Amino acid sequence: MENPDIEQAYTTIQEGFNKKAMIIILAKCHVEYEGRARSRLAPGDRLILIKKDGTFAIHQELNLDPVNWQAPGCKNKVSVKNNQVILTSKKTKPTEEIKVYLDETYSVTYYNCIDTKELEIRGYEKHMVDLAWEKPELIEKGFRPTRREYQTENGFIDLMGTDKDEKLMILEFKSRKAGTNAVKQLKGYVECFMDNKEFVRGIIVAPDITDNARELLESLQMEFIQMNPPLDLLKHKTSTLDSFLN
């Protein structure tokens, strides 16, 4: 509804609440918050978004994050007082309350949205480890992975295995260009196996490596294997070896 009067704005918003819909309001408003602190936002044009799970967010013209917001689970309602529409979002544990006074309403919309899909994300270190576990030839011919997320006193090793000569391989994966910190991290893992140092290979697996990191890696007699993180979404495409090797 465009440019609704007070009664129309109240009725439309209340219908949205009754139907457990997503409500979108564009309005000139001022905002009061009371809870862990207190704040007041002077009048200005804002976008107000209310979701059926209780999420309540107020966006200004600029910036990504809302200027005021409440998390899912809040109790939201609309009322009219002194000839003005008021939105209230209340949270308990801890008690917090946002009140939005609609000074002028430009538009009110509500939708019964249907969206049950989960966001599929690819490209993290975990996905690189998964791929190396499933397709060990991406690391090198003869590589046999044996353990993942192996705990040591210096942290968790991403992936362990053996090469064709039965030497232990310790692999540290990075989804971006590896730096000296990655090399130092790998060094700490390798040091946990100092009793068998001649049988241990420390390897950084990443799309690229900095010059300083490469020099440090070589000075420690450790290795670098180039591998890109998998970016193909599993539901839409089957990955091939060429996707990850240059």
Side-chain angles (χ1 to χ4, degrees):
M1 182 171 290
E2 300 294 329
N3 300 310
D5 59 27
I6 292 172
E7 182 178 352
Q8 290 172 327
Y10 168 79
T11 300
T12 305
I13 295 169
Q14 187 60 60
E15 284 179 1
F17 282 135
N18 292 341
K19 295 181 179 181
K20 300 186 185 305
M22 179 183 292
I23 303 170
I24 302 169
I25 304 166
L26 184 61
K28 180 179 180 181
C29 64
H30 61 280
V31 184
E32 295 177 354
Y33 163 81
E34 187 165 352
R36 291 169 292 181
R38 296 185 68 184
S39 68
R40 186 177 190 278
L41 183 63
D45 293 338
R46 280 128 202 173
L47 176 68
I48 302 162
L49 180 63
I50 307 170
K51 299 184 181 182
K52 66 179 182 180
D53 64 358
T55 300
F56 190 100
I58 305 166
H59 287 272
Q60 294 180 299
E61 182 181 17
L62 304 176
N63 297 322
L64 174 66
D65 295 327
V67 64
N68 286 98
W69 63 278
Q70 295 271 53
C74 294
K75 300 296 183 182
N76 302 318
K77 68 178 184 178
V78 61
S79 60
V80 177
K81 186 176 181 180
N82 297 329
N83 207 34
Q84 187 172 43
V85 177
I86 303 171
L87 297 167
T88 304
S89 180
K90 185 173 289 188
K91 174 185 176 182
T92 56
K93 297 181 181 180
T95 300
E96 295 180 282
E97 184 179 79
I98 292 176
K99 283 192 174 182
V100 181
Y101 299 85
L102 303 186
D103 302 312
E104 184 178 356
T105 305
Y106 307 130
S107 69
V108 179
T109 306
Y110 67 79
Y111 297 94
N112 283 110
C113 303
I114 299 175
D115 184 0
T116 59
K117 305 301 181 182
E118 294 183 0
L119 178 64
E120 184 181 344
I121 301 175
R122 298 279 284 167
Y124 290 149
E125 280 97 7
K126 175 187 179 302
H127 304 129
M128 298 173 71
V129 175
D130 290 343
L131 187 65
W133 183 272
E134 296 168 4
K135 300 178 179 180
E137 64 271 22
L138 286 173
I139 299 302
E140 67 179 31
K141 186 176 181 180
F143 172 60
R144 184 172 65 87
T146 55
R147 298 287 296 273
R148 53 196 300 171
E149 289 297 312
Y150 181 79
Q151 186 174 7
T152 72
E153 61 184 18
N154 292 327
F156 288 87
I157 296 173
D158 287 335
L159 185 63
M160 295 175 62
T162 57
D163 64 14
K164 60 182 178 59
D165 297 320
E166 296 299 319
K167 288 186 177 180
L168 178 64
M169 297 172 65
I170 297 174
L171 290 78
E172 174 63 23
F173 288 77
K174 297 298 177 187
S175 61
R176 299 182 180 182
K177 180 182 284 190
T180 55
N181 286 339
V183 179
K184 293 174 183 177
Q185 187 178 0
L186 177 63
K187 178 176 179 288
Y189 298 150
V190 172
E191 287 176 347
C192 295
F193 299 86
M194 288 299 292
D195 291 344
N196 298 296
K197 186 176 180 182
E198 64 273 23
F199 301 110
V200 179
R201 295 171 58 191
I203 302 169
I204 295 287
V205 183
D208 200 358
I209 189 169
T210 65
D211 292 339
N212 289 341
R214 189 185 295 274
E215 290 177 6
L216 179 59
L217 198 66
E218 292 174 354
S219 71
L220 295 170
Q221 296 184 316
M222 294 193 290
E223 307 164 52
F224 169 68
I225 293 177
Q226 188 175 40
M227 176 179 170
N228 293 318
L231 298 177
D232 295 337
L233 298 180
L234 298 179
K235 297 176 183 177
H236 302 293
K237 188 174 180 181
T238 302
S239 302
T240 63
L241 296 185
D242 292 338
S243 303
F244 314 102
L245 296 174
N246 291 338

